[in-house]
Amino acid sequence: MPAIIHGSQSAALPPYVEPAVQTRARKIVAALTDMSEEYIKYVDDAVAASLPSGSVVKGLIPHGAAYWTRTAVIQTQQQDNSELNFFLKVTHTDVGRANLRGEFASMSIIHNVTPDFVPVPIVVGTYASNSDVHFYLCSFVEMTDEVAEVDTLPAKLAELHLKCVSKNGKFGFDIPTNQGALQQPNSWSDSWEEFFSDMMQRCFDWEQDMHGCDEEMKTLFQAVLGKVIPRLLRPLETGGREIKPRLVHGDLWDGNTSTNVETGKPVIFDASSMYAHNEFELGAWNVPRHQIYKTYIKAYHRHFPISEPTEDVDDRLILYRLRFNFTSSGCYLNNLRFRELALEDMQYLVEKYTSKYEGTETRKEASDSTQKSIDDWPVIEQLPVQVKFGQKEEQKISVSGIAAN
């Protein structure tokens, strides 16, 4: 495999030329990132109502750094005089609301399956004082400043993947989830190849809308859709092989994991889940610029074997990394770094897989789905069932899944 693919992934930045037209993607990202800190200077009534009965707010302190949101710690005193802290995340716009609702649904399921792996999700809602400001509230976990350890994170992630399989046997999720500003509808599909192809098309279209159409990328991407994806993903579900749709975090890079200071256990957050091929999760670990890299992948496979055909795993992970670089490119207004990295990956994959899929099997029979334009992508309207903190028995969020293997 050419060294440029494994070794670079840290492209030099060309001069950025902003598109002449302010596209929908650019407007959405600009609006999302223009979030005032004013909304974490007070505890809104809707937030206060979500705290345990009798809570007395003692402080509200900005905490952490986030590109899309403003975050803070709510310090409280409980009825028994004990201190209890909560983590508050605030955003605005309809896209921001959909983002937090998808995160709440994702974190709720992960918590139901592996409760010590995530902060306890409490509620997602809208400020009483401003209907355009939305919040997500969860328990506060004191974390280290480092990524989770290689001895603990891969094993815990494998546990989640092994325990949580889609009940309906399909790839997708009950509600849309977001990668930053990009919303993934997560329509159910019987075929991983179909689901992944649709997801990649949306990611690519968003990236092009963000930074402008690139003809070389368009040509390469058509080859990825028509040749690379069938060659690398169809063998997973044909020839007597199958993969089960398993719950993934969806964006598990360095910045979304740490270690719980009190327990020493790994903790993950900012999930954007779906039921997917479990190895899809490792695309974000196959990035040389990240601390979580190949040693973590190797450790993971000690707990969850490589999917057959095993000889394709390296290139499957490059394909899955491509999606990560597409969405990263679509997150930033004036940065072409991730576009260049995506271009590298496509060049490598298209050079290697020059012919269409040569097997006799057709793609696994897929469910009906309708491709929509960017402007037609839905915004969530139905709020998931809330998981209230402090109840003796938490309500389970009303989404499909939670089926042990």
Side-chain angles (χ1 to χ4, degrees), residues 303-320:
H303 303 278
F304 201 124
I306 298 171
S307 298
E308 296 286 350
T310 58
E311 62 269 21
D312 289 343
V313 64
D314 288 343
D315 289 344
R316 283 199 301 265
L317 294 189
I318 291 176
L319 178 62
Y320 294 158

Side-chain angles (χ1 to χ4, degrees), residues 234-391:
R234 192 168 303 173
L236 292 168
E237 301 180 280
T238 56
R241 294 176 290 266
E242 73 169 344
I243 52 174
K244 293 182 179 180
R246 299 179 184 275
L247 187 74
V248 297
H249 173 285
D251 190 23
L252 198 55
W253 69 290
D254 294 4
N256 288 340
T257 180
S258 186
T259 298
N260 185 318
V261 169
E262 182 179 352
T263 66
K265 294 180 179 180
V267 60
I268 61 176
F269 41 90
D270 290 358
S272 179
S273 291
M274 67 191 78
Y275 291 95
H277 179 208
N278 63 291
E279 288 176 3
F280 171 75
E281 193 92 276
L282 307 182
W285 290 11
N286 190 37
V287 180
R289 65 183 179 272
H290 290 173
Q291 293 181 62
I292 298 178
Y293 189 37
K294 288 190 178 295
T295 54
Y296 284 77
I297 296 174
K298 185 176 180 181
Y300 173 86
H301 284 307
R302 286 199 289 267
H303 303 278
F304 201 124
I306 298 171
S307 298
E308 296 286 350
T310 58
E311 62 269 21
D312 289 343
V313 64
D314 288 343
D315 289 344
R316 283 199 301 265
L317 294 189
I318 291 176
L319 178 62
Y320 294 158
R321 179 176 73 194
L322 176 59
R323 181 272 196 176
F324 184 82
N325 281 330
F326 275 161
T327 53
S328 297
S329 183
C331 283
Y332 301 101
L333 287 169
N334 303 313
N335 189 338
L336 288 177
R337 176 191 183 196
F338 299 105
R339 170 173 276 199
E340 294 299 314
L341 301 180
L343 190 61
E344 283 183 8
D345 283 342
M346 287 197 292
Q347 288 169 340
Y348 164 74
L349 291 168
V350 171
E351 258 184 56
K352 182 167 182 178
Y353 299 102
T354 57
S355 302
K356 291 188 175 181
Y357 178 69
E358 296 178 355
T360 58
E361 303 93 345
T362 58
R363 186 167 74 182
K364 183 178 179 181
E365 184 177 347
S367 56
D368 293 333
S369 62
T370 303
Q371 180 77 13
K372 297 181 179 180
S373 69
I374 289 176
D375 292 327
D376 292 331
W377 294 354
V379 174
I380 302 167
E381 296 298 340
Q382 184 176 358
L383 187 68
V385 175
Q386 296 177 354
V387 178
K388 289 289 189 178
F389 184 85
Q391 294 180 346

Side-chain angles (χ1 to χ4, degrees), residues 82-103:
S82 64
E83 296 179 352
L84 187 60
N85 294 341
F86 300 86
F87 183 77
L88 176 69
K89 179 184 288 190
V90 179
T91 188
H92 64 165
T93 77
D94 286 346
V95 173
R97 177 183 63 179
N99 198 329
L100 292 188
R101 292 182 176 196
E103 179 178 351

Side-chain angles (χ1 to χ4, degrees), residues 49-67:
S50 302
L51 298 173
S53 177
S55 296
V56 177
V57 175
K58 292 295 187 179
L60 181 63
I61 303 172
H63 182 84
Y67 183 57

